[in-house]
Amino acid sequence: MDVPGPGAHRVSSAATATAATMLLRTARFPRECWFLPTALLCAYGFFASLRPSEPFLTPYLLGSDKNLTERQEPKPDHLLVLKVLWKDFLMCYSSRPLLCWSVWWALSTCGYFQVVNYTQGLWEKVMPSHNATIYNGGVEAVSTMLGAVAVFAVGYIKISWSTWGEMTLSLFSLLIAAAVYVMDKVNNIWVCYSSYVVFRIIYMLLITIATFQIATNLSMERYALVFGVNTFIALALQTLLTLIVVDANGLGLDITTQFLIYSGYFALIAIIFLINGAVSVMKKYRRRQEPESSSPGTSA
């Protein structure tokens, strides 16, 4: 074997990489051998750690016209950060419209995740996949497409959401509860598919409206805080619902009973917002009546 001379060190990195690739391709290692994946991982780690631009990038970023220094700034006071977040939290959720839409957002998202996560199990019970042709993937695609169309069409709806928003949430939450109930009780796969499509269309329509209404009552700096809190509450409720209804350490209910509970869950949401919406509408109606009733006495 020839000993490589000094000129071998001038071989380009591309030629070296090509040679290494050919070596790995031609080497005859058994499939269970650890050498090949280990060599590839080592090569990846080496080239990932190699940063040829860093010696030139650092002096550029530390230039006089850049707002960066080599001196490490003091760490922020974590207690102060928590106080600011708590203050912003109270300021955001002190707005009644924002609180209303956020509550629906969190509650409905929890129920939506549960239905979507376990609907395949319900369909499997209604029509086992080994007995007939199923179209679960197609139904998911169609429901997503029709939901997108509904979201696009919602921009043309003219309604005073500040007045009728809670009543609308109540009505459509009741429709969602009915769709889930039909999907659970009617032992027909096509009815289940149709109910699921209706369920997703209504949810995607309402969640778009709710997101817009929440955003209109916020400054842009607080978007992450509010939507983060809403998502956290939704996931916490979903975890609790799963532990109680689905998990074997909880009730461990069968799939049909689970969907009956999910239907009742959305019906409860509808009742809550129906009561709240009715109270809000009556208060606004009384406020409008008070100036009208006081105007004749003033003119007299």
Side-chain angles (χ1 to χ4, degrees):
M1 182 176 180
D2 295 334
V3 179
H9 295 288
R10 301 192 186 98
V11 178
S12 64
S13 59
T16 304
T18 304
T21 303
M22 292 301 297
L23 176 63
L24 291 175
R25 286 182 179 178
T26 56
R28 296 183 178 276
F29 296 105
R31 293 181 179 272
E32 296 81 5
C33 183
W34 53 267
F35 179 82
L36 182 60
T38 303
L40 292 176
L41 287 175
C42 291
Y44 170 78
F46 171 76
F47 287 109
S49 301
L50 184 64
R51 301 173 183 174
S53 63
E54 188 169 343
F56 308 97
L57 185 62
T58 302
Y60 171 76
L61 293 177
L62 295 178
S64 58
D65 57 334
K66 305 297 186 297
N67 192 23
L68 295 173
T69 61
E70 290 183 306
R71 182 175 60 88
Q72 185 177 4
E73 296 295 330
K75 294 183 178 180
D77 186 357
H78 297 291
L79 184 59
L80 179 61
V81 172
L82 292 176
K83 288 181 179 179
V84 172
L85 286 176
W86 178 248
K87 182 180 179 181
D88 285 349
F89 174 84
L90 294 178
M91 185 180 301
C92 292
Y93 288 97
S94 61
S95 171
R96 189 183 178 281
L98 186 145
L99 179 62
C100 170
W101 288 100
S102 294
V103 168
W104 184 90
W105 200 98
L107 293 177
S108 63
T109 300
C110 165
Y112 173 79
F113 285 160
Q114 285 296 104
V115 172
V116 170
N117 288 344
Y118 295 99
T119 190
Q120 300 284 343
L122 179 65
W123 292 346
E124 182 66 22
K125 183 174 183 180
V126 173
M127 179 175 285
S129 57
H130 60 272
N131 292 340
T133 304
I134 58 174
Y135 302 93
N136 297 1
V139 172
E140 293 282 359
V142 170
S143 63
T144 302
M145 181 183 66
L146 294 179
V149 173
V151 168
F152 178 78
V154 76
Y156 297 95
I157 299 177
K158 305 299 181 183
I159 185 174
S160 176
W161 296 110
S162 60
T163 303
W164 302 104
E166 293 169 84
M167 301 295 287
T168 303
L169 292 177
S170 173
L171 174 62
F172 282 103
S173 297
L174 188 61
L175 292 177
I176 290 177
V180 176
Y181 182 81
V182 170
M183 186 165 48
D184 178 56
K185 289 300 181 181
V186 180
N187 195 29
N188 183 287
I189 192 62
W190 293 105
V191 175
C192 288
Y193 285 161
S194 302
S195 300
Y196 181 75
V197 170
V198 172
F199 163 78
R200 289 202 66 192
I201 290 174
I202 296 175
Y203 173 81
M204 293 175 70
L205 177 70
L206 288 183
I207 201 67
T208 302
I209 298 172
T211 302
F212 174 76
Q213 293 299 318
I214 292 172
T216 55
N217 289 279
L218 281 176
S219 60
M220 188 176 297
E221 294 81 6
R222 296 187 174 95
Y223 285 175
L225 173 64
V226 172
F227 286 110
V229 169
N230 292 350
T231 303
F232 174 79
I233 294 174
L235 294 178
L237 289 175
Q238 185 199 2
T239 303
L240 182 62
L241 192 60
T242 302
L243 289 174
I244 295 174
V245 176
V246 182
D247 193 80
N249 294 324
L251 298 177
L253 302 175
D254 61 277
I255 193 67
T256 54
T257 308
Q258 290 178 31
F259 271 74
L260 183 62
I261 291 177
Y262 302 152
S263 174
Y265 175 83
F266 280 105
L268 180 61
I269 295 175
I271 293 173
I272 292 173
F273 280 86
L274 176 63
I275 296 173
N276 201 26
V279 172
S280 299
V281 171
M282 286 189 294
K283 286 182 178 180
K284 290 185 178 181
Y285 179 75
R286 289 177 181 176
R287 289 173 185 172
R288 292 178 181 177
Q289 291 291 82
E290 287 176 359
E292 295 178 1
S293 60
S294 60
S295 57
T298 304
S299 58

